[in-house]
Amino acid sequence: MGLIIFYGVMNWMPTLLGQTTLEPGTAKRLVGLFALGGLGAIASGYLMDRYNPNILNAILALLTAILIAFIGQGLSWGLMILVPIVILAGIVMNTLQASLPAVAALFYPTEGRTTGVSWMMGIGRFGAVAGSYLVAELVKRNYSLEEIFIVLAIPAVIMMFCLLLKQFIYKR
């Protein structure tokens, strides 16, 4: 789910924002600011050592959904609002994405940990492909910028529910 969002945003945001009133160079810089959010991933280990990883990541997923949806609205609010939204969305999304392999490693017993995490990472790559195709299909169907980013927020909501479900089903 996370890679659907990440690659949908990274591959399509320059094109989508370039078709608006923004200069093409500004649209490309915004994508760079989203990717810069990877610096927030540095905090993921610290936070996961101190808080319940499932709940923490569920909160990050909820924040990701909200901020990704706000990117589509941000143009109507102005560039001074859009830039911080894109930076925060990148920080939250990348922190969440960096935390998920550790959450998976905590879930599987030692003898199956490598296999479990590898399957998670491998299946996640389908999301990387799906994200780009999803946005292409939305563009083809003439979805508005706001609608595209709302659709891109849905996988984060699904992720949040899955993490909460995991927390309540598997107490350990």
Side-chain angles (χ1 to χ4, degrees), residues 5-29:
I5 300 165
F6 185 79
Y7 284 97
V9 170
M10 292 297 292
N11 291 336
W12 278 94
M13 195 159 55
T15 303
L16 295 172
L17 295 180
Q19 295 173 350
T20 66
T21 58
L22 287 179
E23 304 251 343
T26 303
K28 290 176 185 171
R29 283 190 285 282

Side-chain angles (χ1 to χ4, degrees), residues 59 64 83:
I59 292 168
T64 295
V83 168

Side-chain angles (χ1 to χ4, degrees), residues 96-152:
L96 170 62
Q97 201 59 32
S99 300
L100 293 176
V103 170
L106 292 170
F107 179 73
Y108 294 105
T110 304
E111 61 275 3
R113 189 166 294 147
T114 303
T115 303
V117 173
S118 296
W119 269 94
M120 181 203 78
M121 300 291 281
I123 290 170
R125 297 299 153 205
F126 287 107
V129 175
S132 293
Y133 280 110
L134 170 66
V135 178
E137 186 63 27
L138 297 175
V139 168
K140 182 176 118 180
R141 293 175 184 236
N142 296 315
Y143 276 52
S144 70
L145 185 68
E146 294 85 2
E147 293 169 327
I148 289 171
F149 280 95
I150 287 170
V151 170
L152 280 173

Side-chain angles (χ1 to χ4, degrees), residues 22 30 70-71 73-85:
L22 287 179
L30 282 170
F70 279 174
I71 290 174
Q73 307 294 319
L75 279 176
S76 63
W77 299 334
L79 202 55
M80 296 301 289
I81 303 292
L82 180 61
V83 168
I85 289 171

Side-chain angles (χ1 to χ4, degrees), residues 38-93:
L39 295 175
I42 296 168
S44 69
Y46 174 82
L47 293 170
M48 287 183 34
D49 283 344
R50 281 149 187 79
Y51 303 103
N52 180 309
N54 294 317
I55 301 298
L56 173 69
N57 285 313
I59 292 168
L60 290 173
L62 176 62
L63 291 172
T64 295
I66 292 167
L67 290 165
I68 293 295
F70 279 174
I71 290 174
Q73 307 294 319
L75 279 176
S76 63
W77 299 334
L79 202 55
M80 296 301 289
I81 303 292
L82 180 61
V83 168
I85 289 171
V86 169
I87 292 170
L88 286 173
I91 289 170
V92 173
M93 173 70 223

